[in-house]
């Protein structure tokens, strides 16, 4: 059985052949109603398109385009990796290699890495490996048998880590969380801004409804219509109650009910600020946010305008970028504190898995709003104007 396929290096007239100027296509096995299907993700320079294929459609696509329309195609099964390579003259070369190495051919360092990896996988996750979870199977994270796909293990760990943070703050926002909910129970409302493929949105719904037995209402919002359509399709197939997806901009979005919690995972640049602003202005009880790229402050930093003591931090691009990120998140935390939240800055996941590893955890308190003079002192010294401060004014 084919587990995954990757098509890359398209021919120049790719748009004439497939209708769009695709740069690469990734295909992963999924499972729908007990039958094998495949999740197809096709990328142009600025967009991603999603569809599903059955096994026959996949085989036809491979036969027609591997090594021809796409000069490079890699196909993986459980035991073999096959590569199709096409050259300028139209010749297609097929290369195959077995994936199961014999023990005697494994080096000591490789063996240690395998042991470490296996030990790491013994961790008791909130969503456990071994039993198939429908949404994870459809999203290509799990096999139909409940085994986490090797290339998706970091995503699996990331999902579970975020769920741990949700679990930690539940007692602060949901009374008697241990009691099973019923239809008359007021739902716990969550907004996931910049949800993307919605791994986290589906995971939060599964965790809160299937494991915690809570009545929830969760909405995922993203700008990409194709992604939202795909998420709504999965929701419909799995008949998930209380889960909705919509296309829209965080800055303009009007939620039917005020959410109890706002979550964001890698919302890019100032999208995080718009999400935090929305949470504060709608008096949300909790915020969990893992920022992504942070260009706004970086663009404002100018070594000619800052005090001499800061200039060494702006001399090298990579240092300036990291400094700008730390300044951005530090000020976000300060403005949330000023708005009456108790804030913690936590490591989201190990740096080896993602450099975007700071999580902002904010829980609403009964404290009155206040002003932090050190935040103002920092913005004055660096001559910067953070987006979140502007939004909250």
């Amino acid at each position: 059985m084919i587990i995954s396929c990757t098509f890359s290096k398209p021919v120049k007239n790719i748009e004439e052949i497939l209708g769009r100027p695709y740069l690469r296509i990734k295909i992963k096995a999924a499972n729908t109603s007990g039958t094998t299907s495949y999740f197809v993700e096709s990328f142009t320079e600025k967009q991603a398109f999603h569809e599903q294929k059955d096994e026959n459609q996949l085989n036809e696509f491979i036969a027609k385009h591997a090594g021809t329309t796409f000069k490079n195609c890699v196909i993986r099964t459980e035991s073999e990796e096959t590569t199709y390579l096409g050259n300028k003259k139209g010749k297609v070369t097929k290369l195959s290699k077995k994936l199961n190495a014999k023990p005697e051919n494994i080096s000591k360092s490789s063996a240690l890495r395998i042991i470490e990896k296996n030990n790491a996988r013994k961790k008791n996750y909130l969503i456990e490996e071994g039993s198939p979870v429908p949404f994870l199977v459809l999203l290509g994270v799990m096999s139909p048998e409940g085994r986490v796909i090797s290339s998706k293990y970091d995503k699996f760990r990331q999902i579970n880590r975020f769920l741990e943070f949700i679990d930690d703050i539940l007692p602060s926002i949901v009374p008697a969380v241990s009691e099973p909910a019923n239809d008359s129970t007021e739902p716990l409302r969550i907004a996931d801004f910049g949800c993307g493929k919605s791994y986290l949105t589906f995971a939060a719904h599964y965790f809160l409804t299937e494991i915690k037995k809570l009545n929830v209402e969760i909405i995922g919002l993203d700008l990409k219509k194709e992604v939202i359509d795909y998420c709504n399709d999965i929701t419909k197939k799995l008949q998930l109650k209380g889960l909705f997806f919509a296309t829209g901009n965080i800055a303009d979005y009007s939620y039917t009910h005020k959410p109890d919690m706002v979550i964001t995972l890698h919302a890019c640049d100032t999208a995080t600020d718009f999400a935090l602003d929305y949470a504060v202005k709608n008096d949300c009880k909790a915020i969990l946010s893992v920022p992504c790229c942070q260009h706004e402050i970086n663009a404002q930093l100018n070594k000619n305008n800052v005090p001499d003591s800061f200039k060494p931090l702006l001399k090298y691009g990579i240092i300036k970028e990291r400094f700008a990120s730390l300044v951005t998140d530090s000020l976000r935390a300060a403005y949330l504190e000023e708005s009456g939240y108790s804030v913690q800055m936590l490591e989201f996941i190990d740096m080896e898995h993602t450099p975007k590893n700071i999580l902002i955890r904010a829980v609403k308190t009964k404290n009155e709003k206040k002003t932090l003079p050190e935040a103002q002192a920092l913005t004055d010294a660096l001559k910067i104007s953070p987006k979140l401060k502007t939004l909250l004014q």
Side-chain angles (χ1 to χ4, degrees), residues 25 46 54 56 78 97 111 135-136 138 151 155 162 174 188 213 217 230 242 256 295 297 307 323 351:
I25 296 177
K46 296 182 178 180
D54 60 30
N56 289 333
E78 291 282 358
K97 67 177 181 178
F135 84 89
L136 288 176
L138 281 175
S151 61
K155 177 62 68 177
F162 205 104
V174 181
L188 169 64
K213 305 299 181 184
E217 184 179 290
Y230 180 74
T256 306
H295 304 304
I297 298 301
F323 174 62
M351 281 286 287

Side-chain angles (χ1 to χ4, degrees), residues 25 31 63 126 129 189 210 265 283 288 290 352 372 383:
I25 296 177
N31 180 264
L126 292 174
E129 183 177 8
R189 295 187 172 95
E210 297 297 324
L265 178 60
D283 204 30
L288 292 174
V290 180
E352 63 180 288
L372 298 179
K383 294 180 174 58

Side-chain angles (χ1 to χ4, degrees), residues 55-225:
E55 200 164 5
N56 289 333
Q57 290 172 326
L58 174 61
N59 289 331
E60 289 175 7
F61 191 86
I62 291 171
K64 188 173 183 179
H65 300 293
T68 52
T69 308
F70 292 89
K71 298 300 183 182
N72 191 307
C73 172
V74 180
I75 301 171
R76 280 178 172 262
T77 66
E78 291 282 358
S79 59
E80 190 174 50
E81 180 180 279
T82 302
T83 302
Y84 291 87
L85 299 172
N87 63 18
K88 294 180 180 180
K89 296 181 179 180
K91 180 182 177 181
V92 178
T93 302
K94 179 180 177 181
L95 305 173
S96 299
K97 67 177 181 178
K98 298 294 181 183
L99 295 179
N100 295 330
K102 295 181 180 180
E104 58 268 22
N105 293 332
I106 298 177
S107 67
K108 183 177 180 180
S109 59
S110 296
L112 288 173
R113 283 196 297 271
I114 291 171
I115 291 171
E116 289 174 357
K117 191 172 185 180
N118 289 337
N119 287 338
R121 292 189 178 188
K122 292 178 182 178
K123 176 179 171 63
N124 292 323
Y125 291 117
L126 292 174
I127 296 181
E128 297 180 350
E129 183 177 8
S131 298
V133 177
F135 84 89
L136 288 176
V137 174
L138 281 175
L139 289 173
V141 177
M142 271 188 177
S143 71
E145 297 74 33
R147 180 183 59 80
V148 176
I149 304 301
S150 180
S151 61
K152 289 292 186 179
Y153 210 90
D154 283 350
K155 177 62 68 177
F156 181 71
R157 292 182 71 250
Q158 189 182 84
I159 289 169
N160 273 285
R161 181 61 173 155
F162 205 104
L163 292 181
E164 289 175 8
F165 287 114
I166 292 177
D167 194 33
D168 285 345
I169 63 172
L170 275 181
S172 302
I173 58 176
V174 181
V177 90
S178 61
E179 296 180 8
N182 54 59
D183 291 339
S184 64
T185 307
E186 188 70 13
L188 169 64
R189 295 187 172 95
I190 298 176
D192 183 358
F193 289 132
C195 60
K197 296 178 187 176
S198 300
Y199 294 100
L200 179 58
T201 328
F202 284 109
H205 182 271
Y206 177 84
F207 171 66
L208 294 170
T209 59
E210 297 297 324
I211 298 176
K212 287 294 184 179
K213 305 299 181 184
L214 293 174
N215 183 18
V216 301
E217 184 179 290
I218 302 178
I219 185 154
L221 183 73
D222 201 272
L223 289 170
K224 296 180 181 177
K225 184 179 182 302

